[in-house]
């Protein structure tokens, strides 16, 4: 059920932010106040409102994918083909990504509420949280693919 919720919420988020140009990913990796401001100022007021409104749905999405990752790592044998260290790590990758996503959302909600060009470290922190979130999402994907590939190896018939 949590997997279906992730898919539904991700689709809703994608639908909400699809009209934004430049897109949300560009804003997530805006490391400086100048870059962030240039992006936000390209959006008309209704697009900025659309972006800010999406943060609520994204909050539900990050909770859903954090729970999904934990459940996949603790309640299934999906990661069983991996080493003990990686099996112990797997349940915490998506919840940690969700935590960085939550901090990113809070910072971006604050930064888009009004111009705040005098707090460069906050822009840096927001982009760093985004980078860490995306990095952890890719790590989880890699662990998942590796586990699936190793599982196939164990199921293959012995031809020797």
């Amino acid at each position: 059920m949590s997997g279906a919720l992730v898919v539904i919420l991700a689709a809703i988020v994608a639908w909400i932010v699809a009209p934004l140009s430049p897109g949300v990913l560009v804003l997530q990796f805006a490391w400086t106040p100048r870059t962030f401001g240039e992006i936000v100022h390209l959006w008309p007021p209704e697009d900025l409102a659309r972006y800010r409104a999406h943060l609520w749905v994204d909050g539900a999405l990050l909770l859903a994918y954090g729970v999904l990752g934990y459940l996949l790592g603790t309640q299934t044998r999906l990661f069983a083909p991996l080493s003990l260290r990686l099996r112990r790590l797997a349940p915490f990758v998506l919840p940690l990504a969700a935590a960085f996503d939550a901090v990113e959302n809070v910072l971006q909600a604050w930064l888009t509420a009004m111009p705040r060009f005098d707090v460069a470290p906050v822009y840096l922190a927001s982009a760093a949280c985004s980078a860490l979130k995306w990095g952890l999402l890719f790590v989880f994907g890699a662990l998942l693919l590796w586990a699936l590939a190793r599982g196939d190896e164990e199921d293959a018939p012995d031809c020797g």
Side-chain angles (χ1 to χ4, degrees):
M1 232 169 95
S2 59
L5 184 59
V6 168
V7 170
I8 291 166
L9 289 170
I12 293 170
V13 166
W15 175 74
I16 292 171
V17 299
L20 300 179
S21 181
V24 172
L25 282 177
V26 177
L27 187 68
Q28 288 180 0
F29 289 101
W31 295 87
T32 65
R34 180 184 179 99
T35 305
F36 194 96
E38 287 172 352
I39 294 163
V40 170
H41 285 99
L42 289 173
W43 293 343
E46 58 274 5
D47 282 357
L48 181 58
R50 173 182 289 272
Y51 176 79
R52 291 178 52 78
H54 113 277
L55 293 172
W56 291 102
V57 181
D58 195 51
L61 174 60
L62 70 88
L63 286 172
Y65 78 71
V67 168
L68 175 64
Y70 183 77
L71 291 175
L72 286 175
T74 60
Q75 303 299 310
T76 72
R77 297 197 31 81
L78 186 61
F79 296 104
L82 301 181
S83 69
L84 179 60
R85 183 174 293 166
L86 291 176
R87 284 194 315 267
R88 287 183 177 164
L89 172 71
F92 302 102
V93 175
L94 284 185
L96 187 56
F100 283 118
D101 198 355
V103 173
E104 171 200 344
N105 283 357
V106 168
L107 293 176
Q108 289 189 359
W110 186 72
L111 291 170
T112 57
M114 61 183 280
R116 302 176 196 272
F117 299 113
D118 58 339
V119 290
V122 179
Y123 292 89
L124 181 65
S126 174
C129 284
S130 182
L132 289 166
K133 168 194 72 178
W134 283 108
L136 288 165
L137 291 171
F138 283 115
V139 165
F140 188 83
L143 287 172
L144 182 62
L145 291 175
W146 191 11
L148 291 171
R150 292 202 53 176
D152 287 344
E153 289 172 12
E154 292 175 4
D155 293 339
D158 185 13
C159 298

